[in-house]
Amino acid sequence: MTKQQPTPVVQSARAVHEDLTRILGDLGDAEIVEILTLHPTVSEVEQAGLWAAGEGDILATQGHTLSGIVAEIVDIVTAEEEDEEGPRPINP
């Protein structure tokens, strides 16, 4: 009987500037630098892009939660949108 080799875990490649602009669209230099300092994988950037586009509920039903680097990227990408909208009103 031969011993089977374990299947290697394939990790997604680290995202680079081109990945960010391809997946997330136009970003400011500060946003790009802030995201790249997180050292995200391409997969994490893709997940963040879906969450930022409003597809998060679909991902959540498939077991992909918003946490870690993905959550930080979403916060960075959506920060400008939240600033433009202003503070959310508090319901009495």
Side-chain angles (χ1 to χ4, degrees), residues 60-75:
T61 62
Q62 297 174 350
H64 300 280
T65 58
L66 182 61
S67 62
I69 291 176
V70 175
E72 291 183 59
I73 295 170
V74 171
D75 287 345

Side-chain angles (χ1 to χ4, degrees), residues 15 36 49 88:
L36 289 177
R88 293 182 180 162

Side-chain angles (χ1 to χ4, degrees), residues 3 13 16 53 56 64 72 77 81 92:
K3 184 178 177 183
V16 295
H64 300 280
E72 291 183 59
V77 172
E81 294 171 11

Side-chain angles (χ1 to χ4, degrees), residues 5 17 20-21 28-30 32 38 40 53 55-56 62 69-70 73 92:
Q5 295 294 325
H17 181 277
L20 298 182
T21 55
D29 291 339
I32 289 172
L38 299 172
E55 303 292 329
Q62 297 174 350
I69 291 176
V70 175
I73 295 170

Side-chain angles (χ1 to χ4, degrees), residues 28-63:
D29 291 339
E31 292 169 312
I32 289 172
V33 169
E34 192 172 355
I35 293 170
L36 289 177
T37 59
L38 299 172
H39 305 286
T41 63
V42 173
S43 176
E44 289 168 328
V45 175
E46 289 171 341
Q47 288 179 42
L50 290 172
W51 278 93
E55 303 292 329
D57 52 346
I58 295 169
L59 289 175
T61 62
Q62 297 174 350

Side-chain angles (χ1 to χ4, degrees), residues 1-35:
M1 190 183 246
T2 61
K3 184 178 177 183
Q4 288 185 327
Q5 295 294 325
T7 305
V9 176
V10 179
Q11 293 190 355
S12 181
R14 293 283 176 209
V16 295
H17 181 277
E18 291 78 18
D19 297 318
L20 298 182
T21 55
R22 177 178 50 83
I23 297 167
L24 301 173
D26 289 335
L27 298 171
D29 291 339
E31 292 169 312
I32 289 172
V33 169
E34 192 172 355
I35 293 170

